[in-house]
Amino acid sequence: MARRRKGRPVNGILVVDKPAGISSNDVVQQAKRLFGAQKVGHTGSLDPLATGVLPLCFGEATKFSQYLLDASKTYWTRIRLGVSTETGDADGEVIAQVDATAITQTQVSDALETFVGEIEQIPSMYSALKHQGQPLYKLARQGIEVERAPRTVTIYSAELLQFAEAYIELRVHCSKGTYIRSLAEDLGAALGCGGHVSALRRLAAGPYAEAQAVTLEQVSEIGDPQEMDALLLPVASAVGSWPSVRLHEDTAHYVRQGQPVQVAHAPTHGWVQIFESAEEDRFLGVGEVLTDGRIAPRRLVASD
């Protein structure tokens, strides 16, 4: 007999404004307890140092978390030039320090331009990336360093917001898998002075922005778990930028059985949101357009 999950069957997405000083998993556990929810997961870790947008997927929304993991991100960061730390951020011990006061804004701007576009990064030993099943940061804390292969990432834009002595502030729009601490270290190396992240905030993750985010304190103040549900965004919002198709009840039945269907005036390629047309559109899941034009369901929400 299958074990019954504890908690309420809550479905939707909560955009949390993560505070500094706790891990993303800590946020997940607090949200799960506040909502009394059966199942909650995050969509990409933020370091304890970092704050900002952390979308949490509840229940059926966890089926679509991968699409948020794959989405681009936008960050604000403050970088301290001239000081290198063991971890690449302000939480690590200082390992090197030089005078960076002679660095000019023009030098920073010119160096920053070289990082825009497709680049390669070597993940930090203090990242959550796993090696043989172990997160790198756990190995690093044991004094173990392993070879890391460079990873190709894309910096779509890197805007210099402020330059003041040895501190710079950037707004970075980047692809999944980009490490801002690695960017800070590489930028510092390019300037010949080293550097580290002194502050980091995620401004957006995929379709979600900080204007939609709520703090755990705001959630807690509501008190009633069912009233908290009003804070949840629809499961479909995870793929809200995708084209959509709407099916009549009979066609929707076949999709629920996992069968491809022909849909008039549907997109000719790519992935789509699938809705059942009724008095109120019901989100069924996502599908892929096949070469013959039919739409094949790929990931569906559970039926009521």
Side-chain angles (χ1 to χ4, degrees), residues 49 75-81 88-90 160-164 166-172 180-181 184 187 195-201:
L49 170 84
Y75 296 92
W76 167 89
T77 186
R78 182 186 296 118
I79 296 172
R80 171 70 160 93
L81 298 176
D89 61 26
L160 179 60
L161 301 175
Q162 188 170 346
F163 175 86
Y167 285 93
I168 60 175
E169 294 183 13
L170 306 178
R171 181 186 177 96
V172 180
I180 301 300
R181 73 171 83 191
L187 179 60
H196 72 271
V197 168
S198 64
L200 180 64
R201 180 170 178 79

Side-chain angles (χ1 to χ4, degrees), residues 14 120 143 213 250:
L14 181 72
E120 287 194 337
D250 291 344

Side-chain angles (χ1 to χ4, degrees), residues 63-64 245-264 266 272-277 282-290 293-303:
K63 295 179 178 179
F64 306 92
V245 296
R246 282 164 172 75
L247 311 179
H248 293 297
E249 182 180 356
D250 291 344
T251 308
H253 168 76
Y254 290 105
V255 165
R256 288 197 182 93
Q257 303 304 311
Q259 300 179 34
V261 295
Q262 197 75 45
V263 182
V272 295
Q273 306 175 69
I274 305 175
F275 291 88
E276 179 181 354
S277 291
R282 178 180 298 174
F283 180 63
L284 300 182
V286 298
E288 185 178 12
V289 182
L290 303 178
R294 292 180 302 160
I295 293 178
R298 294 302 190 211
R299 192 159 292 250
L300 303 177
V301 298
S303 301

Side-chain angles (χ1 to χ4, degrees), residues 15-160:
V15 184
V16 173
D17 189 339
K18 177 193 168 297
I22 65 174
S23 71
S24 297
N25 188 59
D26 290 335
V27 175
V28 168
Q29 297 308 316
Q30 289 187 42
K32 185 175 183 180
R33 176 179 53 79
L34 287 169
F35 278 80
Q38 289 180 351
K39 187 176 183 180
V40 187
H42 63 69
T43 58
S45 295
L46 281 174
D47 292 337
L49 170 84
T51 67
V53 174
L54 182 66
L56 302 185
C57 293
F58 286 68
E60 288 296 294
T62 59
K63 295 179 178 179
F64 306 92
S65 60
Q66 184 61 47
Y67 307 121
L68 296 176
L69 284 167
D70 292 342
S72 66
K73 314 291 191 299
T74 302
Y75 296 92
W76 167 89
T77 186
R78 182 186 296 118
I79 296 172
R80 171 70 160 93
L81 298 176
V83 178
S84 300
T85 70
E86 188 177 36
T87 60
D89 61 26
D91 289 339
E93 293 185 11
V94 174
I95 56 175
Q97 189 164 354
V98 301
D99 183 3
T101 56
I103 301 292
T104 67
Q105 183 169 336
T106 298
Q107 287 176 302
V108 172
S109 295
D110 290 346
L112 197 58
E113 285 184 9
T114 66
F115 292 94
V116 176
E118 195 172 89
I119 63 171
E120 287 194 337
Q121 284 189 334
I122 297 177
S124 167
M125 271 303 300
Y126 286 86
S127 70
L129 194 67
K130 291 187 176 181
H131 173 76
Q132 297 180 351
Q134 281 285 326
L136 290 180
Y137 67 82
K138 287 190 176 181
L139 297 175
R141 289 168 183 166
Q142 299 170 39
I144 300 171
E145 182 165 353
V146 298
E147 186 174 349
R148 288 96 66 203
R151 304 176 74 186
T152 300
V153 298
T154 302
I155 307 291
Y156 301 112
S157 64
E159 180 185 359
L160 179 60

